[in-house]
Amino acid sequence: MIDAQGINKFFGANHVLRDCDLTVEGGEVVTLLGASGCGKTTLLRCIAGFETPDAGTLTLAGQDVTRLPPNQRDVGFVFQNYALFPHMSVEENVAYGLKARKAPADQIKREVADALDLVSLTDFARRFPNSLSGGQQQRVALARSLILQPKVLLMDEAFNALDAKLRGAMQVELRKIVKRVGITAVCVTHDQSEALTISDRIAVMAEGRIEQFAAPAQIYDNPTSAFVADFIGAANILTRDAAARFSHAAKTLNGNAALVIRPENVMLGGTPDDGVAGKVVFARLTGPAMEYEVALADGTVLRALVDRDGHVPLAVGADTQVAIRNPDACVALPGAA
Amino acid sequence: MTEAFWTRFRDGRGVWPAVPAFVFLAIFFIAPMGVLFSFGFTEIERGQVQENGFTLRYLTDTLSDDLFWWVWWKSFYIGTLSTLLCFLLAYPLAYLYSESGRRMRLLILVLTISPLLTSAIVRTYAWLVILGGRRGVINSTLIELGLIERPFRMLNTDFAVIIGMTQVHLPFMVLPLITVLAARDRNMEAASLGMGASRLSTFFRIVVPLSMPGIVAGLTIVFALSYTNFIIPQLLGGGGFTTLAVQVYEQIVVILDWSKGAMLALLLLGSCFVFILMIGLAGNRVMRWSVKETVE
Amino acid sequence: MKLTRRSFTTTALAASSLVAAPTIVRAQEKELIVISYGGALQEPHRWLGDKLQREIPNLTVRLVPSESQDIVAQIKAAQGFSPYDAMPNGEPPHLIAIRDGYIQKLDPTRLENYDNVVPEFWPKTQGYGVPATFSLIGLAYNEEMVDTPPTSWADMWNEEYADMVGICRTSSNLGLGTLAMTAKIFGGSETDLDPAWAKLKELNPLAGRSPRILAQMLERGEIAVAPLWNNDAAVAAEKGLPIKFVKPDPGPVAILSVMSEITGARDTELVYRWMDGIISDDYQELAAAAPYYFGVTVQGVDVPEAARPYTPSTPEEVAALQTVDWAEIVKVRPELVERFDREFAT
Ligand SMILES: Nc1ncnc2c1ncn2[C@@H]1O[C@H](COP(=O)(O)OP(=O)(O)OP(=O)(O)O)[C@@H](O)[C@H]1O
Ligand SMILES: [Mg+2]
């Protein structure tokens, strides 16, 4: 459905997108994930046509649209700052695209009512965006795009202003709508759990490059770079020397440069023969689990997530033994850590 | 709201910094204005205010004078037309500015502001050279080219006054428009295009309405300036041209009738105030969205 | 000089008093501020001012061009504390100034040159100021635009000049003179100006806000013919512009200009020196010369040959000069100014 090949974009001397390739199948939900300023919005704007790439080609539904203006692309876009028209009521905002398409008045009326109902904003139809909360504005922005049933829906942090409950509901709702209508969606988010929830595939970006593009489980379990590993799930990345202390993991390391160990894969409080000695330097309660930071003798610090069930909390300063629960779940990386 | 105002006043919050400006205005603006306007209700003989001289004669005489209404209409029509012309010229210029690179922006800004550095009278005299008679730049060119035989009468017409005012007041329209257009959120236009609207309809339905604050400011300033300008009508309109502002000048300086002059000045400023208020109210209506509504 | 102890002391004292007391020095400085004409016509006044500055130590004579019309308004607003000392007025404003008390009665005994003046002029001053010069209102035309020059006032209405005639607003003496003269030749009078308004309206004229602006309109060819001051026409012709002046039948209108002391003048003695200068032979000779061609008011000054087209040069021409009963006009001046707008601005 979307096929971006070798996209490059410069803002002056600033090389913002570097050889980005992104292929999205019809009906698929893809998330762009990455640190602030890495080029997520820019890539999305290139797909929508608000920016023209300096190099590369973009194909939508088999048609080369690299130079096509945005109003001929049939792409919906939800802006990071919503970009609602402040001089139009909620209703008028939602009806804008249909009016631009010269849809008949009664159809507009019906579809606007449906769209507002979908995002639970029926009571706010005549309000101006200025008098709405951030979450309400975001829902208007969503309704405004969804009503046009675009082939492709691009969402730039569409849920960041919503409270956790509403956010969860909207994520689920979105997946349903997307699947029902058969929309192809590309979302941008900072929030990795959101990415894991709504995506069929995730593209992790860093400094204008797509580092890894794969299914969520794949990204989580088999990160191909230290950056991806760290970005998703805040993994422990051990150098070859540090990893070598853990006898179980040594075979996984298998001559590579670094080893990725998920915090939940770190076990505390074993016996000296199956662990490495360490000292608790930080302890924190995170709901169902305790989070610790443990310093090893050589100064390496490991993060550990320990299920509270049957666990006696350790105090800061306590000595403990660190071990790896399942060595097979560790990922070895060839590059330097 | 008044309650809050007085509380703040007692606490001295927010009010005191405005005191110097207020005192200055009171001494150098409000008081002289008060004196001037009171002349409009006073009999004055040979420069002396007469005792028990209060009179409404000047008010009633003026309001029942056809000439006054005719002249008022002229002022209004000249002011309105030149304001609209200013707007039509300034908007594309300001839009061009907002779409331009740094160099072009600087150029437009300099071109806009530099006329403010020469006096309005000098610039108005330049129009005499351009429009004036058979030796004027336009007529002599047209005659030279053999396009016309007798020179057009351009100077000493409504047209000349409107053109002259438009040129002199253009910066006051361009600057507020530049401010709003350059600072606008481009995503609004992107959103409109993204929803399939054409560039033209995006311009009229999104860009123009959102620049309303600048439009209202520009219209207000330029209308007030044009409606009350008494120099340009005298220089470019000729001896057979008059506006309310010119009448004030004539009554006070030439006819030396202070009472009548003061009454005309009062009516000029009063009506100017009303028109500005009307522009402001119309603007507020159009810009309802910019104020947060509390309850639906 | 041998520097004795005593002479040193006196010198030092004198020097220190100069340094210490600049106010004393300044107090000896005198200033005379006179209202004058605009442009080249100011030059005779300047000449007289320079002459007085040479004769009287520490005197500065400043001339203020009255083109801006607001001088009288300023004097009126100053309520007896006028910033100006002397001013020339044509007959209409002279009468207004007397009525409103802006100018002072003349004391003839303080003038050395009193007897120089042609006696017939004195009554016209009403006992205020000195008769300075007189000027003519005639018809000026732009040679490039006119085939047959006008010869009489009635020629303004010739088919040839249709829509090309200019007149001055009635806020000026020129406009009032034009109005009065028109009334006279079309069966009206100073007290019956309606025929004049009707005839002027018939011209569909282009109006000038001031005589200077009217002259410029003629120079630029916006109009072909206009009633104009002889002096303005002469200055334009002298600059090489195609402007010609005629003394139209039955005769041009002569208006006397009176130089008076303004009420509240700071140094009356100086004002009298100035007025005496105005009626001196030297000044009058200069004012009568090219390119100003002011009419002289003293006896025995020869009018130069070049002035012929601009001033009355034969006894018949003098006899033909038209005068206006300004007292009648002045009574209704405010209404006449407004009437102009009623007729021509609406
Ligand atoms: N119009 C522009 N002109 C110049 N530089 C720009 C422009 N837009 C973005 N950039 C730069 O391009 C880089 C990528 O910006 P982009 O908005 O794509 O980041 P992002 O990944 O969306 O960040 P965030 O998560 O904070 O929204 C940034 O360094 C930014 O400063
Ligand atoms: Mg972004």
Side-chain angles (χ1 to χ4, degrees):
Chain A
M1 190 68 190
I2 304 173
D3 189 15
Q5 292 298 328
I7 302 288
N8 276 277
K9 178 73 189 171
F10 292 84
F11 286 119
N14 190 0
H15 198 167
V16 175
L17 293 180
R18 299 164 191 257
D19 299 319
C20 292
D21 298 336
L22 192 73
T23 311
V24 184
E25 304 302 329
E28 196 179 21
V29 178
V30 165
T31 300
L32 302 182
L33 198 57
S36 179
C38 69
K40 305 181 296 289
T41 299
T42 308
L43 180 55
L44 220 53
R45 288 173 68 90
C46 284
I47 299 173
F50 302 144
E51 307 285 357
T52 313
D54 294 306
T57 55
L58 181 72
T59 315
L60 289 182
Q63 184 194 5
D64 182 351
V65 297
T66 316
R67 316 253 149 238
L68 208 65
N71 50 5
Q72 293 170 29
R73 288 197 185 187
D74 192 18
V75 168
F77 199 103
V78 180
F79 287 79
Q80 194 164 359
N81 64 352
Y82 327 134
L84 298 180
F85 305 133
H87 60 299
M88 297 182 188
S89 67
V90 166
E91 212 168 34
E92 287 165 330
N93 264 283
V94 175
Y96 190 88
L98 289 178
K99 278 193 189 144
R101 271 151 229 234
K102 309 230 155 40
D106 55 334
Q107 182 200 340
I108 293 179
K109 202 166 167 227
R110 189 163 18 91
E111 291 190 12
V112 167
D114 289 350
L116 289 178
D117 189 42
L118 179 70
V119 295
S120 336
L121 281 176
T122 310
D123 293 343
F124 298 83
R126 287 173 202 284
R127 291 255 206 121
F128 286 103
N130 260 349
S131 62
L132 297 182
S133 73
Q136 290 165 338
Q137 294 184 28
Q138 211 153 42
R139 281 183 277 159
V140 178
L142 266 176
R144 190 171 74 166
S145 296
L146 287 175
I147 197 173
L148 297 175
Q149 309 206 345
K151 289 183 290 196
V152 171
L153 180 61
L154 308 175
M155 285 176 287
D156 198 350
E157 310 201 15
F159 303 122
N160 65 353
L162 306 181
D163 61 59
K165 189 155 168 272
L166 193 55
R167 178 189 296 224
M170 285 301 291
Q171 286 167 356
V172 172
E173 195 60 40
L174 180 78
R175 262 200 87 83
K176 282 196 210 149
I177 295 169
V178 164
K179 294 298 169 197
R180 191 177 72 217
V181 187
I183 294 177
T184 306
V186 180
C187 312
V188 163
T189 182
H190 276 124
D191 176 351
Q192 47 145 319
S193 77
E194 179 177 310
L196 297 172
T197 311
I198 63 176
S199 322
D200 293 317
R201 280 193 292 166
I202 295 175
V204 181
M205 289 182 72
E207 287 166 9
R209 242 180 261 287
I210 294 179
E211 290 275 326
Q212 186 172 4
F213 183 29
Q218 187 74 9
I219 295 260
Y220 194 84
D221 297 337
N222 283 304
T224 54
S225 71
F227 175 84
V228 174
D230 188 34
F231 198 82
I232 308 282
N236 296 300
I237 298 163
L238 299 189
T239 58
R240 187 208 316 257
D241 295 343
R245 297 157 161 271
F246 296 95
S247 46
H248 302 311
K251 68 173 191 294
T252 316
L253 185 62
N254 196 18
N256 278 303
L259 190 69
V260 177
I261 309 170
R262 293 284 168 201
E264 60 272 23
N265 199 13
V266 175
M267 208 163 62
L268 296 182
T271 51
D273 52 279
D274 69 340
V276 179
K279 196 189 256 302
V280 176
V281 293
F282 176 78
R284 179 170 80 122
L285 179 67
T286 61
M290 281 298 291
E291 182 187 339
Y292 294 101
E293 284 181 14
V294 181
L296 305 185
D298 64 349
T300 310
V301 176
L302 280 180
R303 261 168 27 86
L305 273 180
V306 183
D307 202 338
R308 282 173 67 208
D309 192 20
H311 169 74
V312 181
L314 296 165
V316 173
D319 288 315
T320 186
Q321 294 291 320
V322 183
I324 293 172
R325 195 186 301 275
N326 174 11
D328 296 334
C330 296
V331 183
L333 294 175
Chain B
M1 177 239 148
T2 30
E3 187 81 353
F5 177 81
W6 285 115
T7 315
R8 264 195 301 162
F9 187 79
R10 240 179 294 122
D11 298 354
R13 265 180 294 146
V15 177
W16 296 115
V19 166
F22 183 77
V23 170
F24 180 87
L25 277 182
I27 296 176
F28 294 104
F29 183 70
I30 299 176
M33 281 294 219
V35 171
L36 175 68
F37 290 153
S38 68
F39 283 175
F41 300 96
T42 319
E43 295 286 2
I44 299 173
E45 287 281 325
R46 300 185 186 192
Q48 298 295 321
V49 174
Q50 303 298 293
E51 231 159 278
N52 295 331
F54 177 79
T55 176
L56 288 175
R57 178 164 75 90
Y58 294 100
L59 181 64
T60 51
D61 281 3
T62 305
L63 292 182
S64 57
D65 187 347
D66 287 350
L67 182 65
F68 167 77
W69 290 108
W70 198 91
V71 170
W72 171 79
W73 167 245
K74 190 88 164 182
S75 296
F76 178 73
Y77 135 86
I78 294 283
T80 306
L81 233 55
S82 97
T83 305
L84 290 181
L85 194 59
C86 251
F87 174 72
L88 292 180
L89 293 175
Y91 204 94
L93 192 64
Y95 185 73
L96 181 69
Y97 173 93
S98 72
E99 296 293 297
S100 304
R102 233 183 304 162
R103 272 155 205 270
M104 186 68 178
R105 283 189 172 200
L106 195 66
L107 183 74
I108 294 176
L109 208 57
V110 166
L111 285 181
T112 309
I113 293 180
S114 60
L116 288 177
L117 304 178
T118 58
S119 94
I121 299 194
V122 172
R123 278 180 288 157
T124 308
Y125 271 110
W127 281 111
L128 291 178
V129 175
I130 295 170
L131 300 176
R134 54 175 50 214
R135 285 160 190 274
V137 175
I138 296 180
N139 271 328
S140 60
T141 311
L142 289 179
I143 293 174
E144 199 79 6
L145 294 173
L147 293 175
I148 53 170
E149 270 180 22
R150 254 180 83 165
F152 278 121
R153 183 191 276 192
M154 282 178 291
L155 204 56
N156 304 326
T157 58
D158 292 5
F159 166 76
V161 177
I162 291 172
I163 289 285
M165 281 200 186
T166 302
Q167 190 257 339
V168 170
H169 297 152
L170 195 60
F172 301 100
M173 186 68 89
V174 174
L175 291 178
L177 288 178
I178 277 183
T179 312
V180 288
L181 283 176
R184 72 184 198 270
D185 180 356
R186 312 291 161 136
N187 280 342
M188 298 293 158
E189 284 138 86
S192 169
L193 292 175
M195 285 187 274
S198 68
R199 291 212 165 267
L200 199 67
S201 98
T202 298
F203 179 79
F204 284 110
R205 296 191 54 199
I206 307 296
V207 179
V208 173
L210 288 181
S211 62
M212 213 29 110
I215 296 178
V216 170
L219 291 180
T220 307
I221 300 171
V222 172
F223 181 81
L225 289 174
S226 307
Y227 187 61
T228 57
N229 191 317
F230 68 97
I231 294 176
I232 294 170
Q234 290 195 56
L235 286 175
L236 298 180
F241 184 93
T242 192
T243 62
L244 211 44
V246 173
Q247 289 281 305
V248 172
Y249 176 83
E250 286 247 312
Q251 287 292 340
I252 289 183
V253 165
V254 179
I255 300 180
L256 301 174
D257 188 339
W258 288 0
S259 299
K260 190 153 187 196
M263 180 50 67
L264 289 175
L266 178 63
L267 292 169
L268 175 69
L269 288 192
S271 55
C272 185
F273 186 73
V274 169
F275 290 132
I276 287 176
L277 208 66
M278 275 160 49
I279 298 176
L281 288 177
N284 276 355
R285 249 198 90 74
V286 180
M287 291 187 291
R288 259 173 318 148
W289 47 270
S290 67
V291 194
K292 278 196 196 247
E293 297 163 68
T294 34
V295 197
E296 190 41 5
Chain C
M1 179 172 112
K2 207 166 129 221
L3 194 69
T4 63
R5 192 154 153 201
R6 197 175 155 179
S7 72
F8 172 78
T9 320
T10 44
T11 317
L13 267 178
S16 64
S17 75
L18 264 182
V19 175
T23 44
I24 299 176
V25 176
R26 214 177 283 148
Q28 288 163 350
E29 284 177 1
K30 296 173 182 165
E31 197 183 32
L32 183 69
I33 305 182
V34 182
I35 309 303
S36 182
Y37 308 108
L41 294 179
Q42 197 182 85
E43 287 161 15
H45 280 162
R46 189 66 260 164
W47 174 86
L48 180 58
D50 292 345
K51 183 163 172 279
L52 286 183
Q53 285 179 11
R54 280 193 301 275
E55 289 170 8
I56 304 171
N58 296 321
L59 173 70
T60 314
V61 178
R62 271 177 53 210
L63 301 180
V64 179
S66 70
E67 193 63 19
S68 48
Q69 285 192 324
D70 57 354
I71 299 291
V72 177
Q74 286 180 30
I75 295 172
K76 178 174 174 169
Q79 302 268 321
F81 298 95
S82 162
Y84 311 111
D85 300 306
M87 73 189 300
N89 279 312
E91 286 167 76
H94 185 64
L95 295 177
I96 294 172
I98 293 172
R99 187 191 72 197
D100 290 356
Y102 305 146
I103 55 176
Q104 290 291 301
K105 255 201 150 52
L106 182 79
D107 177 1
T109 61
R110 296 174 75 174
L111 291 174
E112 278 177 24
N113 295 330
Y114 186 85
D115 294 329
N116 263 8
V117 175
V118 178
E120 286 76 24
F121 282 119
W122 282 115
K124 286 184 180 290
T125 66
Q126 315 271 331
Y128 290 74
V130 298
T133 50
F134 69 86
S135 298
L136 301 186
I137 299 175
L139 286 179
Y141 62 93
N142 185 321
E143 274 184 298
E144 288 175 352
M145 303 173 67
V146 165
D147 293 330
T148 38
T151 57
S152 72
W153 285 111
D155 283 348
M156 276 166 71
W157 284 262
N158 274 1
E159 192 55 38
E160 187 192 335
Y161 317 137
D163 295 335
M164 295 199 299
V165 179
I167 59 172
C168 198
R169 280 177 71 82
T170 40
S171 48
S172 69
N173 299 339
L174 176 60
L176 292 172
T178 306
L179 182 70
M181 197 59 219
T182 307
K184 284 184 171 191
I185 55 174
F186 289 106
S189 71
E190 287 87 341
T191 50
D192 175 20
L193 294 166
D194 283 344
W197 287 115
K199 286 306 282 190
L200 288 179
K201 189 139 195 188
E202 195 184 303
L203 277 177
N204 184 26
L206 203 53
R209 198 153 272 280
S210 73
R212 273 280 292 281
I213 290 176
L214 189 64
Q216 288 167 3
M217 285 160 58
L218 197 60
E219 291 165 12
R220 286 194 296 260
E222 283 168 65
I223 48 174
V225 179
L228 206 66
W229 290 113
N230 58 346
N231 318 95
D232 284 329
V235 167
E238 207 76 17
K239 281 192 283 194
L241 294 163
I243 306 297
K244 280 271 187 317
F245 183 79
V246 292
K247 290 168 268 185
D249 293 332
V253 179
I255 296 188
L256 180 67
S257 170
V258 185
M259 179 65 74
S260 312
E261 175 194 351
I262 295 173
T263 305
R266 287 158 296 177
D267 190 337
T268 310
E269 186 50 41
L270 278 178
V271 177
Y272 273 88
R273 287 288 294 269
W274 173 264
M275 291 194 294
D276 232 353
I278 292 285
I279 51 175
S280 68
D281 288 357
D282 288 350
Y283 174 82
Q284 293 276 327
E285 225 162 79
L286 179 70
Y292 325 111
Y293 305 125
F294 283 109
V296 296
T297 55
V298 302
Q299 308 164 34
V301 170
D302 289 332
V303 175
E305 187 63 22
R308 243 168 219 295
Y310 301 104
T311 49
S313 42
T314 63
E316 298 81 66
E317 281 192 348
V318 173
L321 291 182
Q322 304 288 307
T323 54
V324 173
D325 184 355
W326 291 115
E328 289 298 332
I329 300 285
V330 161
K331 273 188 219 158
V332 292
R333 180 172 173 269
E335 289 85 78
L336 294 182
V337 178
E338 281 189 13
R339 176 83 181 260
F340 195 89
D341 284 334
R342 284 181 211 284
E343 300 287 347
F344 296 106
T346 56

